[in-house]
Amino acid sequence: MKLTEQRDVPTVYEPAEDSHLLAETAIERIDGGYALEVGVGSGYVASRIATETNATVVGSDISPEACARARAEGIETIRGDLTRPFRADSFDVVVFNPPYLPTPPDAEWDDPLEYALSGGPDGRRVVRPFVADVGRVLKPDGRSYLLVSSLTDIDAVAGLAADAGLTAREIAAERFPFERLVVLKITHKNS
């Protein structure tokens, strides 16, 4: 993983294999409408969606540095926590590459990238609240593309979706030496 450095302090997660997989998967399936990238970071995925599809794209991030970076890339960006700043039934598509690395509490660090990388002890600390609320902001026939890792327990993430009244299914994957990256398509159960 590469990091953007400003004054020798990394501040924004740079696109890596996971970002590329999410962008390619989303672009193949987006045909317009309103799209949100949660955790917009550098703006890479949102920029690709904006330039390679007919979608109107907005980003959100909890990090002011990430918001500034995405805005510099031409992405309208809201500073906020996950999907909370947005009204119900707002988006046709929501994409998210969450912090998914399982990180024991004694290995946590205190710098701006902790939110971008650390998924807590099971890798699902940020995935849980996202999956619990994403159905609220999706239009009835909307879908979310969520990138997760085998390190995060893909079946557990699908279980979180089911608990939230959503359906999750794997639509893309890529293998790496220590993990398998997967994009889950999450929809309302009735769609």
Side-chain angles (χ1 to χ4, degrees):
M1 293 178 218
K2 297 183 292 183
L3 309 175
T4 298
E5 294 193 16
Q6 181 179 37
R7 293 171 298 188
D8 296 323
V9 178
T11 58
V12 177
Y13 180 75
E14 285 294 330
E17 297 85 2
D18 50 1
S19 308
H20 300 297
L21 177 61
L22 180 60
E24 292 296 325
T25 302
I27 288 164
E28 290 172 2
R29 292 163 174 82
I30 293 176
D31 187 13
Y34 291 96
L36 166 66
E37 182 185 9
V38 172
V40 72
S42 69
Y44 171 79
V45 174
S47 292
R48 296 259 334 257
I49 292 170
T51 59
E52 297 180 44
T53 75
N54 293 321
T56 300
V57 182
V58 65
S60 73
D61 207 296
I62 198 166
S63 161
E65 293 87 359
C67 289
R69 175 78 182 276
R71 286 182 192 124
E73 295 296 320
I75 300 300
E76 179 184 342
T77 305
I78 309 274
R79 183 168 180 222
D81 192 9
L82 301 173
T83 53
R84 289 184 188 99
F86 304 100
R87 293 188 322 253
D89 302 324
S90 296
F91 297 101
D92 299 289
V93 177
V94 176
V95 298
F96 189 28
N97 180 4
Y100 58 75
L101 294 175
T103 310
D106 60 343
E108 294 274 347
W109 57 97
D110 189 22
D111 71 31
L113 282 180
E114 183 172 342
Y115 291 111
L117 299 173
S118 173
D122 63 5
R124 297 185 297 275
R125 175 175 56 206
V126 179
V127 171
R128 261 185 218 88
F130 171 78
V131 171
D133 194 48
V134 71
R136 179 185 65 79
V137 301
L138 285 175
K139 292 181 178 180
D141 60 346
R143 66 247 183 241
S144 177
Y145 300 119
L146 175 66
L147 187 126
V148 292
S149 164
S150 54
L151 302 173
T152 312
D153 190 345
I154 297 161
D155 290 336
V157 174
L160 293 171
D163 291 346
L166 303 167
T167 300
R169 70 180 177 86
E170 183 178 320
I171 59 168
E174 198 169 328
R175 283 201 179 280
F176 296 92
F178 298 103
E179 70 180 333
R180 185 170 164 261
L181 296 177
V182 169
V183 177
L184 294 176
K185 177 181 179 183
I186 299 175
T187 60
H188 294 285
K189 282 194 175 174
N190 299 333
S191 48

